[in-house]
Amino acid sequence: MTGGTPVAKSGSKEQPQNPGTRMVDALRASLKETERLREQNRKLTAALREPIAIVGMACRYPGGVTSPQQLWELVTEGGDGITPFPTDRGWDADLYDPRPGLEGRSYVREGGFLHEAGAFDAGFFGISPREALLMDPQQRLLLESSWEALEGAGIDPVSLKGSRTGVFAGVMYHDYFGAFGSGSIVSGRVAYTLGLEGPTLSIDTACSSSLVALHLAAQSLRGGESTLALAGGVTVMASPGTFVEFSRQRGLSPDGRCRAFAEGADGTGFAEGVGVLVLERLSDAERNGHRVLAVIRGSAVNQDGASNGLTAPNGPSQQRVIRHALAAARLSAADVDVVEAHGTGTTLGDPIEAQALLATYGQDRGEDRPLWLGSVKSNIGHTQAAAGVAGVIKMVQAMRHGVLPKTLHVDEPSSKVDWSAGEVRLLTEARAWPEVERPRRAGISSFGISGTNAHVILEQAPAAAEQPEPDPAPPMALWPLSARTPQALSAQGERLRAFAADHPELEAGAVARSLGTERAVFEHRAAVLGPDRDRLLDGLALLGASDDSPAVLRGRARTGAKTAFLFTGQGAQRLGMGAELRAHYPVFAAAFDELNERLGVGTAEVLLGTDPDRVDRTLYAQTGLFAFEVALFRLLESWGVVPDFLAGHSIGEVAA
């Protein structure tokens, strides 16, 4: 052959290929790869923008607040958590002097204090009394609150050992004697005690620390660095130095109260507190079945830069951080209903913050849709490194209850603010937060004295999927409890009794599920059994008093103990066997009915019938016991009760 396209010899594996075909194939491959890269980019972009779910919260704040619910009750009732200085910290009795500027003295003698900051159950965490004395109270409070927040999220803290759970904690005081000023240990203590292996950071940007911690935690989750995160802040003033220094600068409100954005604002009021949030990617929270309390849509952090003073706030920087947070959330300012402000009650900072809010949130909204403005500092004082997270908890509760609480101590809006520059209104009275066509949304601001600003956009939790009809109430409810010591077990019984008595709306079955599936299990255990609330409460009272009763079962877990199930043989059958279990527990019913159908002899009809003689016939006795025992096993298995050994006699051996 002298020219043209080569042709393969007969039998050869090579075939002629047209150049045009090769080009088309190459183009198809290129397009396919381009689409793959685009899809990968879409997934990466979506992951970086994914909302972050708040699935658990815990806190301690002034006014005796020991839970998010108590904080909500304090702010909705107009409570004031400001009290005289604590008397158990060794502070100089002559610390107070009403003359401002007196060297070494404070002209303030009130603030927002955690008067129980010295209390700590060291044994619960396996910490020796000697080590506990050297622990900064901030370590203790953050550790306790982290545990409570996880349990509140329905997560057993013990189960997180070895997980990529991060700890992001705001902390700014390092003055506890014996703690050697090591703020890193405040967050590290939580990770060490729970065995967490995600990123662990102590963040000190002063008053913006907890919101900066929240921002970093959200980034860590979106980037896949953490699978779960604890974020918040803690403040305990072990010494009175802050009061003395700010008295010298004449920056304190004489009565310790924050009058946020008020004409009568006369300085800030310092306070203590701790707040912890449990955070998870929204898709993970939904897949894991965790209750979503609210969603973080976006957040931002920036710096004042070269402002008119190191500690002076910078209005343009505050505007920028707000706009960056809105951009991260892909929202406009008009999409936000309320801002929980930094609002410390100072004559310099509050007017600058208000003007920044007017310039951002106050524009492009009608008079009928103003931005509402408030500050939890009017109730509990300025809790510093724990201030931002206090605002988050308040706003989460406000979204859930549909109420915007009143801000206290506002005689009238500050005349240093041009309120006509935008549609921003102070919450001088509580207001309903109505449902509209979109989720409720709030902004939360925190500004640090060194110039680090943070802003978070919070959104109402997505509507939960329609829940199936609840199972019929079981004939008996069992409330399990456990503790490290017998004394703690009794105390826990009393606490549960008081809580259940105060909340009659709680269903016995729901309490049983929470106690049985969402709490860590310790060696000292008890269970209270009863057919109704009154009997269960009576049992808890007996447990609290350490009295014996058939309704209270006590025991102690043994290390290395194993569980065995024994399946009975013929002779244990009876009329109605399994009827109540089948009526009350879908898992039992599904397994029993499947076996009844597969056996094909009408076992269920005989067991649930009225003829006791037929039940004793071998055909029905053995098939009935087999179906009953296997279904009962499946029910226990669904509750996490799995044996190490199985044994059985006669038909029970077949079931085993």
Side-chain angles (χ1 to χ4, degrees), residues 119-267:
F120 181 56
D121 187 355
F124 179 84
F125 295 104
I127 297 170
S128 71
R130 182 185 296 273
E131 184 179 6
L133 286 174
L134 297 176
M135 285 175 63
D136 186 333
Q138 295 174 133
Q139 292 181 38
R140 308 174 198 165
L141 286 165
L142 191 72
L143 183 56
E144 290 176 336
S145 298
S146 296
W147 186 284
E148 292 172 7
L150 287 167
E151 285 199 331
I155 300 170
D156 178 356
V158 176
S159 71
L160 296 177
K161 185 176 182 179
S163 69
R164 286 187 292 122
T165 299
V167 183
F168 300 82
V171 56
M172 57 184 281
Y173 282 100
H174 316 285
D175 56 352
Y176 181 70
F177 180 77
F180 309 110
S182 182
S184 65
I185 302 297
V186 174
S187 59
R189 174 73 69 174
V190 176
Y192 169 77
T193 303
L194 300 183
L196 311 179
E197 297 181 4
T200 297
L201 311 176
S202 291
I203 296 123
D204 183 0
T205 60
C207 310
S208 59
S209 296
S210 62
L211 274 200
V212 173
L214 182 58
H215 171 75
L216 294 175
Q219 287 187 326
S220 180
L221 287 164
R222 291 190 179 108
E225 190 177 45
S226 302
T227 53
L228 192 75
L230 296 164
V234 59
T235 291
V236 175
M237 294 176 285
S239 72
T242 299
F243 289 97
V244 172
E245 176 59 24
F246 275 77
S247 288
R248 185 182 67 79
Q249 298 178 27
R250 302 189 181 188
L252 297 179
S253 170
D255 65 358
R257 272 107 182 140
C258 294
R259 294 171 172 80
F261 306 107
E263 180 67 16
D266 54 0

Side-chain angles (χ1 to χ4, degrees), residues 5-6 15-30:
T5 303
Q15 299 295 325
Q17 190 174 32
N18 188 298
T21 302
R22 289 198 301 269
M23 185 178 296
V24 169
D25 289 344
L27 183 59
R28 284 174 176 167
S30 176

